[in-house]
Amino acid sequence: MSPTPTPTSAADATLAGLPDGNLYAALRGAFPADLDRPAIETGDGPRLVYSWRDLERASAMIANLLASLDLPAGARVAVQTEKSVEALLLYLAVLRAGFVYLPLNTAYQAAEIEYFVGNAEPSVVVCSGKNFGWVSQIAFRAGTAHVFTLNEDRTGTLLDRAAHQPAEHVPVPRHADDLAAILYTSGTTGRSKGAMLTHGNLLSNALTLKDAWGWRSDDVLIHALPIFHVHGLFVASHGALLAGARMVWFSRFDPKAVLARLPEATVFMGVPTLYVRLLGEPGLTREACANMRLFIAGSAPLLIETFREFAERSGHVILERYGMSETIMLTSNPYHAADGERRGGTVGFPLPGVGLRVQADDGSPCGTDEIGGIQVRGPNVFKGYWRMPEKTKEEFTADGWFKTGDVGKIDARGYVHIVGRSKDLVISGGYNVYPAEIEGILNEMDGVAESAVVGAPHPDFGEAVVAIVVPRPGADLDPATLVAHLKARIANFKVPKQLFVRPDLPRNAMGKVQKNVLRDEVKGLFAG
């Protein structure tokens, strides 16, 4: 079955102004003339240095391997591996080979992987060697023809097979509207949706951010984010590659190790949790940050206390921005002082080429400082949800604007404020958690009558997942046992930090659970 297009009005809006061509070809065109210059250096583990020539040759070999498999046009390549430079090379290889990249969170468990593989029907699955046994069973049952392994220590069958391929490869021609990646976002009803992003979506956003954030060829990016979502895979990696800038590559975030490399770096991107952990280190000083030009935060709200303390300690004002899987980046606080100040508690202005409006529930436009639903359009807005034509249609307005599901306002100076989220989304440590998914699993457990899941402010994660469970008559529920069952079913970031058993849930006159009451009850749970 072919990807489902967006409604005509949305597609027309998305295609307007899209740069054409294969995204990899555009990234490759930005490589420096001296291909033997360092491109990526590992920041933890054994020190390894990859040149730009290494990136070109290694991605060509993997692309040739994929081409040799005789995959159908538009084939999906699903990847669930630990972070490594080779995993990034695999992503680049999929792009240049003209296939569709499908990154999967490394925390996903078997039931989640079974859904993604069954829904996307990838022709190729790449997983960590330690998970090959159960992942391959899921993949082969779903009809996947090829399963490879890729480990963070540069081993695995993918690299073994690619080693025998030629080191030259001409990128497969692609157009702006051709699919480049599918990112699954958790569904509010527990059913995840695959956001289809095109070569044009990704390239247009990368080019916009290159100008907006002043990327330079002499930049050095500390890359300490995962590469299975927008922030680390697209925003950070594309930014450095398109600038011909060097990356210091951390397989996982370690505040002490990152601080040790700050003096040689110029750019750092992180979710609020990473900034909180940096602030916990005495080594975060103005001297350590003297060479830095830009700290960027996103994927979750940054507490104003964190914003202010970081400025005081480092001498740098964090640049906050706003985006999502379906749109990549939408807004940004200014980089250049001439364009305005970076204001804590806001996500700045819409990026060039991005339309953003705030609408009331009745569809009328909201005025200054009036709160409503945020809607967007532009070349960065996705193609639609994979094999969900009705859901795609539902999420776009009749005049082609995408309904983000976020609630916010625009102040008198034009800054965008995100004040809430519809559908009760919880963002914990930068990861999206939809309560309905967790509630559905809890409600299936023996002895559980019903449950409610909410987010509570957390000094480290931004928000923490909290569950309240009501037992069936006569049932004796143990919170630790329920949490243990959840850990076996879902990714750890979705598992509640606290779970309470109580006789009932607060309801309004219509019988609807009052989650606002529950949020008020747990808001001080993690204080101090």
Side-chain angles (χ1 to χ4, degrees):
M1 185 180 294
S2 61
T4 305
T6 56
T8 302
S9 57
D12 290 345
T14 303
L15 286 171
L18 280 178
D20 206 20
N22 187 310
L23 171 60
Y24 177 79
L27 298 174
R28 174 61 180 86
F31 285 13
D34 181 5
L35 292 179
D36 294 317
R37 279 177 45 190
I40 303 177
E41 179 183 338
T42 53
D44 49 11
R47 181 178 179 273
L48 301 171
V49 179
Y50 298 75
S51 69
W52 294 95
R53 192 181 307 278
D54 292 332
L55 269 58
E56 163 68 11
R57 289 171 55 84
S59 65
M61 295 167 78
I62 300 173
N64 281 319
L65 169 61
L66 295 174
S68 74
L69 302 177
D70 194 27
L71 305 179
R76 278 75 64 199
V77 179
V79 179
Q80 190 197 33
T81 64
E82 299 299 327
K83 182 181 179 182
S84 65
V85 176
E86 284 68 31
L88 179 67
L89 295 173
L90 170 58
Y91 164 62
L92 297 178
V94 173
L95 289 178
R96 67 186 297 171
F99 300 120
V100 181
Y101 191 75
L102 174 57
L104 295 171
N105 192 321
T106 53
Y108 285 145
Q109 301 297 307
E112 295 160 307
I113 295 298
E114 189 169 16
Y115 169 77
F116 297 130
V117 171
N119 184 251
E121 296 182 355
S123 297
V124 178
V125 169
V126 182
C127 66
S128 298
K130 62 184 179 182
N131 297 331
F132 177 78
W134 64 269
V135 172
S136 62
Q137 289 183 32
I138 291 172
F140 291 140
R141 280 200 305 267
T144 298
H146 308 278
V147 180
F148 297 101
T149 58
L150 176 61
N151 303 310
E152 53 189 327
D153 63 355
R154 308 174 79 194
T155 63
T157 58
L158 180 81
L159 300 181
D160 291 344
R161 290 279 300 276
H164 302 286
Q165 295 292 328
E168 295 182 355
H169 177 273
V170 177
V172 173
R174 281 294 175 262
H175 296 297
D177 196 40
D178 287 331
L179 199 54
I182 299 176
L183 271 68
Y184 275 91
T185 64
S186 296
T188 56
T189 60
R191 186 184 180 198
S192 296
K193 309 183 298 294
M196 300 187 292
L197 294 166
T198 69
H199 286 262
N201 291 150
L202 295 170
L203 180 54
S204 68
N205 206 238
L207 291 169
T208 296
L209 293 176
K210 180 182 179 182
D211 293 336
W213 293 344
W215 276 102
R216 309 187 309 240
S217 61
D218 61 347
D219 273 325
V220 178
L221 168 71
I222 289 187
H223 197 306
L225 292 162
I227 55 171
F228 48 71
H229 62 34
V230 164
H231 198 169
L233 182 61
F234 299 150
V235 181
S237 300
H238 290 174
L241 292 171
L242 200 57
R246 181 163 65 95
M247 287 187 267
V248 178
W249 191 266
F250 286 87
S251 61
R252 55 190 54 82
F253 177 75
D254 179 316
K256 287 186 172 61
V258 166
L259 284 171
R261 304 299 296 266
L262 274 187
E264 69 185 272
T266 60
V267 180
F268 176 81
M269 296 185 192
V271 299
T273 299
L274 304 193
Y275 286 100
V276 170
R277 293 180 180 172
L278 285 173
L279 285 167
E281 296 293 330
L284 180 68
T285 63
R286 292 181 176 236
E287 291 74 23
C289 301
N291 194 51
M292 292 293 294
R293 71 171 183 85
L294 187 57
F295 288 94
I296 300 170
S299 299
L302 184 71
L303 296 178
I304 193 66
E305 293 84 358
T306 304
F307 178 84
R308 291 170 178 164
E309 185 180 354
F310 195 87
E312 176 65 27
R313 289 271 301 277
S314 70
H316 290 269
V317 179
I318 296 173
L319 182 152
E320 292 181 77
R321 85 301 179 280
Y322 164 54
M324 55 196 309
S325 297
E326 292 92 336
T327 65
I328 325 153
M329 291 303 99
L330 291 163
T331 75
S332 174
N333 267 272
Y335 168 64
H336 299 286
D339 296 328
E341 64 177 334
R342 297 177 200 167
R343 302 186 66 187
T346 83
V347 292
F349 308 116
L351 288 165
V354 173
L356 184 147
R357 68 187 186 187
V358 181
Q359 299 272 64
D361 289 342
D362 63 4
S364 62
C366 292
T368 300
D369 282 326
E370 289 182 351
I371 295 173
I374 295 176
Q375 301 176 1
V376 298
R377 70 186 302 174
N380 52 309
V381 176
F382 74 136
K383 187 181 182 74
Y385 291 116
W386 173 257
R387 293 178 175 170
M388 289 187 176
E390 294 305 316
K391 184 62 177 175
T392 297
K393 184 176 180 180
E394 178 185 328
E395 296 302 321
F396 282 90
T397 64
D399 57 346
W401 293 71
F402 174 61
K403 296 179 283 188
T404 66
D406 290 314
V407 179
K409 63 180 183 179
I410 301 175
D411 66 23
R413 299 177 62 183
Y415 287 83
V416 178
H417 300 244
I418 310 296
V419 301
R421 294 177 299 278
S422 63
K423 305 173 184 175
D424 297 321
L425 174 69
V426 177
I427 301 181
S428 183
Y431 300 140
N432 290 353
V433 181
Y434 284 88
E437 180 184 16
I438 304 168
E439 292 163 356
I441 296 172
L442 283 169
N443 295 343
E444 293 174 357
M445 293 184 184
D446 291 341
V448 174
E450 62 177 338
S451 63
V453 172
V454 296
H458 192 285
D460 193 9
F461 296 100
E463 286 182 295
V465 179
V466 179
I468 300 91
V469 176
V470 176
R472 293 183 182 276
D476 183 17
L477 297 178
D478 173 49
T481 301
L482 295 175
V483 169
H485 284 311
L486 285 172
K487 286 184 176 179
R489 294 281 305 278
I490 58 176
N492 195 54
F493 66 84
K494 302 177 186 177
V495 176
K497 295 285 188 291
Q498 291 282 354
L499 186 148
F500 301 97
V501 177
R502 52 183 284 179
D504 53 32
L505 297 173
R507 298 181 184 276
N508 62 17
M510 300 298 292
K512 184 177 180 180
V513 175
Q514 294 178 294
K515 288 198 171 182
N516 59 317
V517 173
L518 293 176
R519 280 190 283 266
D520 285 341
E521 290 178 359
V522 303
K523 65 182 179 182
L525 192 59
F526 302 101

